[in-house]
Amino acid sequence: MADQSAAPLLIDLTDQPIDVAAVLHAAESDEAGAVNAFIGTVRNRSEGRRVMRLHYEAYPPMALHQLRRVAEMALEKWPMLRKVAVSHRHGTLEIGDVAVVVAVSTPHRADSFAACEYIIDTLKEVVPIWKKEEYEDGTVWVAAHP
Amino acid sequence: MNLTVSLFGIAREIVGQPSLTLTAPAGQSAAGLLAELRTAYPALAGLRSLAVAVNNEYAAANVELHERDEIALIPPVSGG
């Protein structure tokens, strides 16, 4: 069992729709006056082209491990973090679907904004999940080329 | 020794299969593996980045690979 005195983490990778309320709930703490969340959704345009849907491919064991590492790095930078909850979707997502939810709680709001931003920014740099955009006339792996 | 390399995203599409098994000299490094793969599949050299992961961690260039390691090629990530 994890040490319950440490800030608990919810780390999830799923091919099912993300229950946003459940992720927010997982970040709540009686010791926190602030819960901050980032919700990433699938938008219908990318660099001027109409996006039909997105395909997320993950390397699950490493993605979960690296997600946990990102959360642990946030806990080192913001020791006042009470809870961290991250859920990332993979598979095929339609426009408007929720791709990722990051939720954190801290006693005061400034830390929770900062920690939440750090987690989503770092996640996008290191967690092995790949996004393929599907247009009307083809597909492109996002960020693959210079 | 034989190494098995898992492939994802655009790297899987470039190579045309989800994993590769290749024969490597003992002491082969992560950088050595990358060089070999870029020679075999020149399109890999056109990617913005390409990392080697060993047992779920990003491997430094000089990390030595072993037969039982879980090795993966990590093209530029784009989650979130």
Side-chain angles (χ1 to χ4, degrees):
Chain A
M1 273 306 288
D3 177 5
Q4 292 301 311
S5 66
L9 305 173
L10 168 78
I11 303 292
D12 187 36
L13 179 69
T14 177
D15 62 359
Q16 298 298 309
I18 293 174
D19 182 342
V20 177
V23 181
L24 297 182
H25 183 63
E28 289 170 1
S29 164
D30 286 351
E31 298 170 9
V35 176
N36 191 285
F38 172 82
I39 302 172
T41 57
V42 177
R43 67 172 183 276
N44 65 0
R45 297 197 75 76
S46 178
E47 302 189 357
R49 297 177 79 181
R50 185 168 167 223
V51 175
M52 310 303 290
R53 59 186 61 78
L54 282 186
H55 305 277
Y56 280 94
E57 179 175 334
Y59 174 18
M62 182 173 173
L64 285 166
H65 179 69
Q66 295 295 328
L67 274 174
R68 186 167 294 277
R69 287 279 293 267
V70 171
E72 286 168 355
M73 284 190 285
L75 285 164
E76 279 181 30
K77 285 174 178 285
W78 290 275
M80 73 293 290
L81 270 171
R82 307 293 5 133
K83 299 257 185 87
V84 176
V86 182
S87 183
H88 203 299
R89 182 95 182 263
H90 65 112
T92 296
L93 277 71
E94 305 293 332
I95 304 305
D97 281 354
V98 173
V100 61
V101 180
V102 176
V104 303
S105 60
T106 56
H108 304 289
R109 73 179 183 281
D111 297 316
S112 77
F113 275 109
C116 190
E117 183 174 28
Y118 170 84
I119 291 170
I120 185 65
D121 287 353
T122 310
L123 180 165
K124 291 171 86 87
E125 288 172 10
V126 304
V127 176
I129 297 174
W130 299 273
K131 181 159 61 180
K132 189 186 204 180
E133 286 175 340
E134 181 181 333
Y135 312 109
E136 285 162 301
D137 58 349
T139 60
V140 169
W141 288 103
V142 175
H145 294 100
Chain B
M1 62 176 177
N2 290 319
L3 300 177
T4 301
V5 183
S6 297
L7 303 166
F8 299 95
I10 194 168
R12 174 172 44 73
E13 288 191 357
I14 287 171
V15 173
Q17 52 197 65
S19 73
L20 273 176
T21 301
L22 38 92
T23 306
Q28 174 71 297
S29 67
L33 173 70
L34 271 184
E36 193 179 318
L37 289 171
R38 284 185 172 124
T39 301
Y41 304 94
L44 291 176
L47 299 179
R48 187 166 57 79
S49 65
L50 193 61
V52 174
V54 178
N55 302 327
N56 297 332
E57 298 284 3
Y58 288 97
N62 62 353
V63 164
E64 278 189 22
L65 307 175
H66 305 99
E67 204 159 69
R68 272 174 293 185
D69 285 338
E70 185 177 326
I71 302 167
L73 212 48
I74 309 292
V77 304
S78 53

